[in-house]
Amino acid sequence: MAAQGRGIAGLGFASPSRVLRGADDKDIDDLGIATGLEREELEFAKAGKKRWDEPPVGPFGTAEKPAIIESWYDERIVGCPGGPGDDEHDVIWFKLKKNERHECSICGQIFELKCIGPGGPPGGHHGSHH
Amino acid sequence: MTNNSCLDRRHPYHLVDPSPWPITLSFASVPTTVGGVLAFHSIRAGGLLLGSGLGMLLYTLFLWWRDVIRESTYAGLHSACVHQGHRYGFLMFIASEVMFFIAFFWAFFHSALGPAVESGAIWPPHGLMVPDPWGIPFLNTLILLGSGASVTWAHHALFAGSEKAAVNALAVTIWLALLFVLLQAMEYRDAPFTMSDGIYGSTFFVATGFHGVHVIIGTIFLICCAIRHYLGHFTPTHHFGFEAAAWYWHFVDVVWLFLFVSIYWWGGH
């Protein structure tokens, strides 16, 4: 049974987390009332993993060891900032497609796409949302 | 709703679903402003138009913020990144409010530092019975400072997971806020001068009047936080709605301190 108490406000006061999630104690863990994406983010962080995509980082891509860019779909927009230190240049944007390596026109860095998701066109299949 | 809850959602941002509230708010602003202007010129329809405009405005704000609560607490769409964006956004909003008040302080100092010869080249102008700063205004200063302390107490209670202490502290804050509004209303009712009494009256009532409106807004915000806390929306690590209310409350307190020192104390006898 939820604890009751009377504060200065004169309100009967049940423990808020119980009010929201129901009186069953086993529903409440250390993530509290977090739900949906917020909860997924916290659960991934607890497991030491990242929930969201982050900008790819890695050593300068060459023909022997290209820079691997992970993508959920079969193509992704990528920006090349150049090499380390003085080899930096203004970001050059391009579309990197599956099975097609791309060479930066300024610094020659080589990129290759690695599909880690369902593939297909970016944004998912059209006409099937909702 | 767009696909949010499975691993296809790769980004942490919240792309809000289409909503009618922004355009409803702009439509509601029209009778509010037009009605306000008509009312100031004592045209009868003005009051009705202003009232209905304000009603539409307030209802739209209620619906809009209700949706924000649904999206955040009930749907969990406010990731850490979204939360961070809200923090920066609200701070920038407070900065814009600071600029708003700077305008009225500028107007006050422009006239008070170089008083016109028509009002005796002194400030306050000759003949005006100005409020004694060490009466109700000083009491109001202590009330707001105390409420700043109690809202901080509420925040610490939230961090510590002491839910009942947080409710009590919020209740203290709200009672103090209401007391301020009541005392200021009494001062307005009993003031021996009005807004039409020259530049002193104008600067006094515009500056303290807008401050009073902000206190009322802050009080409503705190009441909403108290209700949300009672409903269990706030956790020790995620309670930005409360933090925003507390920041706004501290801002209102600081503005009052400037008002007290500049207009009541320095600007008085």
Side-chain angles (χ1 to χ4, degrees):
Chain A
M1 198 56 202
Q4 296 288 327
R6 302 234 157 232
I8 289 175
L11 298 169
F13 191 78
S15 174
S17 45
R18 287 174 174 76
V19 170
L20 201 68
R21 300 220 17 165
D24 193 342
D25 279 357
K26 69 180 191 296
D27 276 349
I28 301 161
D29 57 15
D30 57 340
L31 297 183
I33 59 163
T35 185
L37 283 170
E38 188 189 345
R39 189 173 196 93
E40 280 179 36
E41 187 180 41
L42 292 168
E43 283 169 347
F44 271 62
K46 251 174 93 169
K49 298 188 290 191
K50 294 227 157 86
R51 171 66 179 82
W52 316 116
D53 272 350
E54 307 216 327
V57 287
F60 191 84
T62 58
E64 296 76 33
K65 264 193 114 184
I68 301 296
I69 307 293
E70 291 182 344
S71 169
W72 202 245
Y73 300 110
D74 286 346
E75 65 180 53
R76 185 175 181 179
I77 297 173
V78 179
C80 175
D86 285 341
D87 291 336
E88 256 183 58
H89 57 70
D90 286 345
V91 175
I92 297 293
W93 298 99
F94 53 92
K95 262 197 195 145
L96 184 64
K97 296 191 167 119
K98 195 164 111 169
N99 301 326
E100 285 177 30
R101 282 188 177 190
H102 179 96
E103 182 181 341
C104 174
S105 51
I106 298 192
C107 63
Q109 183 167 199
I110 310 280
F111 297 88
E112 186 176 301
L113 196 82
K114 176 181 165 197
C115 186
I116 56 166
H125 297 283
H126 296 287
S128 67
H129 32 161
H130 254 300
Chain B
M1 195 156 63
T2 52
N3 190 1
N4 277 324
S5 59
C6 80
L7 289 176
D8 269 358
R9 171 69 134 77
R10 309 297 306 163
H11 66 82
Y13 302 101
H14 180 206
L15 301 172
V16 290
D17 286 336
S19 165
W21 311 134
I23 195 143
T24 311
L25 197 68
S26 8
F27 284 147
S29 309
V30 176
T32 308
T33 47
V34 172
V37 169
L38 291 176
F40 294 155
H41 290 274
S42 306
I43 294 167
R44 232 165 133 198
L48 188 62
L49 208 55
L50 174 64
S52 52
L54 277 174
M56 283 191 261
L57 209 80
L58 290 169
Y59 188 48
T60 306
L61 289 174
F62 165 75
L63 291 167
W64 193 332
W65 281 319
R66 177 207 65 178
D67 282 355
V68 174
I69 291 171
R70 285 175 172 182
E71 289 158 3
S72 57
T73 305
Y74 292 104
L77 291 167
H78 285 194
S79 60
C81 171
V82 171
H83 182 170
Q84 188 74 339
H86 287 150
R87 295 174 86 84
Y88 281 127
F90 200 77
L91 281 172
M92 285 193 278
F93 168 65
I94 290 182
S96 76
E97 291 263 72
V98 168
M99 297 312 296
F100 181 74
F101 276 96
I102 282 175
F104 300 120
F105 277 98
W106 189 326
F108 167 74
F109 281 113
H110 174 92
S111 295
L113 286 167
V117 67
E118 290 88 345
S119 51
I122 56 162
W123 191 275
H126 184 70
L128 266 164
M129 283 174 57
V130 299
D132 171 18
W134 303 110
I136 301 279
F138 183 59
L139 176 60
N140 276 341
T141 305
L142 296 175
I143 286 170
L144 280 185
L145 285 172
S147 67
S150 60
V151 84
T152 306
W153 167 28
H155 198 186
H156 284 262
L158 261 180
F159 277 143
S162 311
E163 292 161 349
K164 272 184 267 185
V167 141
N168 291 341
L170 259 175
V172 166
T173 312
I174 291 164
W175 284 124
L176 288 171
L178 291 170
L179 189 56
F180 177 95
V181 171
L182 181 68
L183 286 168
Q184 196 69 332
M186 281 164 52
E187 285 282 274
Y188 270 34
R189 181 199 61 190
D190 296 338
F193 59 90
T194 69
M195 192 188 261
S196 330
D197 285 321
I199 193 62
Y200 183 92
S202 296
T203 50
F204 180 91
F205 282 109
V206 167
T208 60
F210 271 119
H211 174 260
V213 168
H214 283 72
V215 170
I216 291 167
I217 291 169
T219 309
I220 294 171
F221 200 168
L222 287 165
I223 291 171
C224 291
C225 285
I227 294 170
R228 289 191 68 199
H229 179 55
Y230 179 73
L231 293 173
H233 291 188
F234 298 140
T235 70
T237 45
H238 193 171
H239 45 259
F240 178 66
F242 173 83
E243 284 181 293
W247 290 350
Y248 197 78
W249 195 250
H250 290 307
F251 151 72
V252 150
D253 188 8
V254 169
V255 170
W256 174 259
L257 294 174
F258 277 91
L259 282 174
F260 178 76
V261 168
S262 318
I263 296 184
Y264 285 94
W265 189 3
W266 176 84
H269 284 303

